PDB file of all heavy atoms in Angstrom:
ATOM      1  N   PHE A 289     198.252 171.265  88.415  1.00 89.00           N
ATOM      2  CA  PHE A 289     198.569 172.541  89.164  1.00 89.00           C
ATOM      3  C   PHE A 289     197.264 173.142  89.766  1.00 89.00           C
ATOM      4  O   PHE A 289     196.190 172.952  89.156  1.00 89.00           O
ATOM      5  CB  PHE A 289     199.159 173.440  88.056  1.00 89.00           C
ATOM      6  CG  PHE A 289     200.406 173.019  87.473  1.00 89.00           C
ATOM      7  CD1 PHE A 289     200.481 172.290  86.198  1.00 89.00           C
ATOM      8  CD2 PHE A 289     201.593 173.292  88.085  1.00 89.00           C
ATOM      9  CE1 PHE A 289     201.549 171.780  85.681  1.00 89.00           C
ATOM     10  CE2 PHE A 289     202.826 172.844  87.573  1.00 89.00           C
ATOM     11  CZ  PHE A 289     202.873 172.109  86.335  1.00 89.00           C
ATOM     12  N   PRO A 290     197.405 173.981  90.663  1.00 91.00           N
ATOM     13  CA  PRO A 290     196.237 174.678  91.308  1.00 91.00           C
ATOM     14  C   PRO A 290     195.675 175.770  90.382  1.00 91.00           C
ATOM     15  O   PRO A 290     196.263 176.087  89.331  1.00 91.00           O
ATOM     16  CB  PRO A 290     196.832 175.402  92.547  1.00 91.00           C
ATOM     17  CG  PRO A 290     198.251 175.459  92.290  1.00 91.00           C
ATOM     18  CD  PRO A 290     198.700 174.254  91.389  1.00 91.00           C
ATOM     19  N   MET A 291     194.477 176.128  90.562  1.00 90.00           N
ATOM     20  CA  MET A 291     193.775 176.936  89.676  1.00 90.00           C
ATOM     21  C   MET A 291     194.495 178.272  89.497  1.00 90.00           C
ATOM     22  O   MET A 291     194.504 178.839  88.254  1.00 90.00           O
ATOM     23  CB  MET A 291     192.315 177.226  90.224  1.00 90.00           C
ATOM     24  CG  MET A 291     191.470 178.087  89.281  1.00 90.00           C
ATOM     25  SD  MET A 291     191.317 177.362  87.660  1.00 90.00           S
ATOM     26  CE  MET A 291     190.364 175.880  88.018  1.00 90.00           C
ATOM     27  N   PRO A 292     195.002 178.965  90.462  1.00 90.00           N
ATOM     28  CA  PRO A 292     195.743 180.232  90.064  1.00 90.00           C
ATOM     29  C   PRO A 292     196.858 179.914  89.148  1.00 90.00           C
ATOM     30  O   PRO A 292     197.183 180.835  88.249  1.00 90.00           O
ATOM     31  CB  PRO A 292     196.285 180.750  91.599  1.00 90.00           C
ATOM     32  CG  PRO A 292     195.320 180.103  92.465  1.00 90.00           C
ATOM     33  CD  PRO A 292     194.950 178.753  91.967  1.00 90.00           C
ATOM     34  N   ALA A 293     197.583 178.916  89.279  1.00 90.00           N
ATOM     35  CA  ALA A 293     198.650 178.596  88.449  1.00 90.00           C
ATOM     36  C   ALA A 293     198.185 178.305  87.035  1.00 90.00           C
ATOM     37  O   ALA A 293     198.910 178.722  85.955  1.00 90.00           O
ATOM     38  CB  ALA A 293     199.506 177.375  88.860  1.00 90.00           C
ATOM     39  N   ARG A 294     197.013 177.742  86.899  1.00 90.00           N
ATOM     40  CA  ARG A 294     196.476 177.376  85.604  1.00 90.00           C
ATOM     41  C   ARG A 294     195.971 178.736  84.873  1.00 90.00           C
ATOM     42  O   ARG A 294     196.204 178.907  83.679  1.00 90.00           O
ATOM     43  CB  ARG A 294     195.300 176.448  85.633  1.00 90.00           C
ATOM     44  CG  ARG A 294     195.887 175.052  86.120  1.00 90.00           C
ATOM     45  CD  ARG A 294     194.760 174.309  86.722  1.00 90.00           C
ATOM     46  NE  ARG A 294     193.767 173.743  85.734  1.00 90.00           N
ATOM     47  CZ  ARG A 294     192.766 172.945  85.961  1.00 90.00           C
ATOM     48  NH1 ARG A 294     192.526 172.556  87.296  1.00 90.00           N
ATOM     49  NH2 ARG A 294     191.987 172.516  85.145  1.00 90.00           N
ATOM     50  N   ILE A 295     195.442 179.706  85.687  1.00 92.00           N
ATOM     51  CA  ILE A 295     195.129 180.966  85.047  1.00 92.00           C
ATOM     52  C   ILE A 295     196.374 181.717  84.605  1.00 92.00           C
ATOM     53  O   ILE A 295     196.395 182.304  83.560  1.00 92.00           O
ATOM     54  CB  ILE A 295     194.280 181.793  86.137  1.00 92.00           C
ATOM     55  CG1 ILE A 295     192.983 181.086  86.464  1.00 92.00           C
ATOM     56  CG2 ILE A 295     194.067 183.168  85.637  1.00 92.00           C
ATOM     57  CD1 ILE A 295     192.183 181.732  87.523  1.00 92.00           C
ATOM     58  N   GLY A 296     197.412 181.660  85.470  1.00 92.00           N
ATOM     59  CA  GLY A 296     198.653 182.304  85.061  1.00 92.00           C
ATOM     60  C   GLY A 296     199.231 181.653  83.823  1.00 92.00           C
ATOM     61  O   GLY A 296     199.838 182.315  82.943  1.00 92.00           O
ATOM     62  N   GLN A 297     199.154 180.331  83.760  1.00 92.00           N
ATOM     63  CA  GLN A 297     199.631 179.606  82.555  1.00 92.00           C
ATOM     64  C   GLN A 297     198.912 180.145  81.313  1.00 92.00           C
ATOM     65  O   GLN A 297     199.473 180.314  80.213  1.00 92.00           O
ATOM     66  CB  GLN A 297     199.509 178.078  82.688  1.00 92.00           C
ATOM     67  CG  GLN A 297     199.847 177.332  81.451  1.00 92.00           C
ATOM     68  CD  GLN A 297     199.439 175.987  81.549  1.00 92.00           C
ATOM     69  OE1 GLN A 297     199.844 175.246  82.568  1.00 92.00           O
ATOM     70  NE2 GLN A 297     198.769 175.294  80.488  1.00 92.00           N
ATOM     71  N   TRP A 298     197.513 180.345  81.370  1.00 93.00           N
ATOM     72  CA  TRP A 298     196.844 180.808  80.193  1.00 93.00           C
ATOM     73  C   TRP A 298     197.353 182.116  79.714  1.00 93.00           C
ATOM     74  O   TRP A 298     197.577 182.413  78.500  1.00 93.00           O
ATOM     75  CB  TRP A 298     195.383 180.871  80.477  1.00 93.00           C
ATOM     76  CG  TRP A 298     194.500 181.267  79.379  1.00 93.00           C
ATOM     77  CD1 TRP A 298     193.978 180.519  78.446  1.00 93.00           C
ATOM     78  CD2 TRP A 298     194.174 182.646  79.004  1.00 93.00           C
ATOM     79  NE1 TRP A 298     193.320 181.336  77.479  1.00 93.00           N
ATOM     80  CE2 TRP A 298     193.300 182.556  77.775  1.00 93.00           C
ATOM     81  CE3 TRP A 298     194.321 183.912  79.534  1.00 93.00           C
ATOM     82  CZ2 TRP A 298     192.867 183.801  77.249  1.00 93.00           C
ATOM     83  CZ3 TRP A 298     193.888 185.028  78.974  1.00 93.00           C
ATOM     84  CH2 TRP A 298     193.162 184.964  77.797  1.00 93.00           C
ATOM     85  N   VAL A 299     197.626 183.076  80.661  1.00 92.00           N
ATOM     86  CA  VAL A 299     198.061 184.386  80.280  1.00 92.00           C
ATOM     87  C   VAL A 299     199.489 184.235  79.701  1.00 92.00           C
ATOM     88  O   VAL A 299     199.838 184.847  78.725  1.00 92.00           O
ATOM     89  CB  VAL A 299     198.078 185.338  81.549  1.00 92.00           C
ATOM     90  CG1 VAL A 299     198.653 186.620  81.210  1.00 92.00           C
ATOM     91  CG2 VAL A 299     196.561 185.472  82.045  1.00 92.00           C
ATOM     92  N   ALA A 300     200.372 183.401  80.391  1.00 92.00           N
ATOM     93  CA  ALA A 300     201.711 183.274  79.948  1.00 92.00           C
ATOM     94  C   ALA A 300     201.903 182.661  78.578  1.00 92.00           C
ATOM     95  O   ALA A 300     202.849 182.903  77.939  1.00 92.00           O
ATOM     96  CB  ALA A 300     202.582 182.590  81.041  1.00 92.00           C
ATOM     97  N   TRP A 301     200.907 181.845  78.253  1.00 93.00           N
ATOM     98  CA  TRP A 301     200.912 181.182  76.963  1.00 93.00           C
ATOM     99  C   TRP A 301     200.236 182.009  75.837  1.00 93.00           C
ATOM    100  O   TRP A 301     200.682 181.976  74.667  1.00 93.00           O
ATOM    101  CB  TRP A 301     200.354 179.777  77.029  1.00 93.00           C
ATOM    102  CG  TRP A 301     201.177 178.877  77.708  1.00 93.00           C
ATOM    103  CD1 TRP A 301     202.048 178.981  78.706  1.00 93.00           C
ATOM    104  CD2 TRP A 301     201.042 177.358  77.570  1.00 93.00           C
ATOM    105  NE1 TRP A 301     202.617 177.860  79.151  1.00 93.00           N
ATOM    106  CE2 TRP A 301     202.085 176.799  78.444  1.00 93.00           C
ATOM    107  CE3 TRP A 301     200.351 176.438  76.784  1.00 93.00           C
ATOM    108  CZ2 TRP A 301     202.234 175.404  78.594  1.00 93.00           C
ATOM    109  CZ3 TRP A 301     200.529 175.138  76.926  1.00 93.00           C
ATOM    110  CH2 TRP A 301     201.532 174.556  77.730  1.00 93.00           C
ATOM    111  N   PHE A 302     199.179 182.647  76.217  1.00 94.00           N
ATOM    112  CA  PHE A 302     198.327 183.366  75.253  1.00 94.00           C
ATOM    113  C   PHE A 302     199.110 184.541  74.538  1.00 94.00           C
ATOM    114  O   PHE A 302     199.153 184.802  73.407  1.00 94.00           O
ATOM    115  CB  PHE A 302     197.154 183.985  75.944  1.00 94.00           C
ATOM    116  CG  PHE A 302     196.317 184.857  75.029  1.00 94.00           C
ATOM    117  CD1 PHE A 302     195.503 184.388  73.994  1.00 94.00           C
ATOM    118  CD2 PHE A 302     196.289 186.222  75.325  1.00 94.00           C
ATOM    119  CE1 PHE A 302     194.925 185.147  73.203  1.00 94.00           C
ATOM    120  CE2 PHE A 302     195.608 187.079  74.468  1.00 94.00           C
ATOM    121  CZ  PHE A 302     194.918 186.596  73.374  1.00 94.00           C
TER     122      PHE A 302
END
Side-chain angles (χ1 to χ4, degrees):
F289 298 95
M291 184 57 66
R294 294 159 73 178
I295 296 175
Q297 174 187 310
W298 182 86
V299 176
W301 288 25
F302 173 73

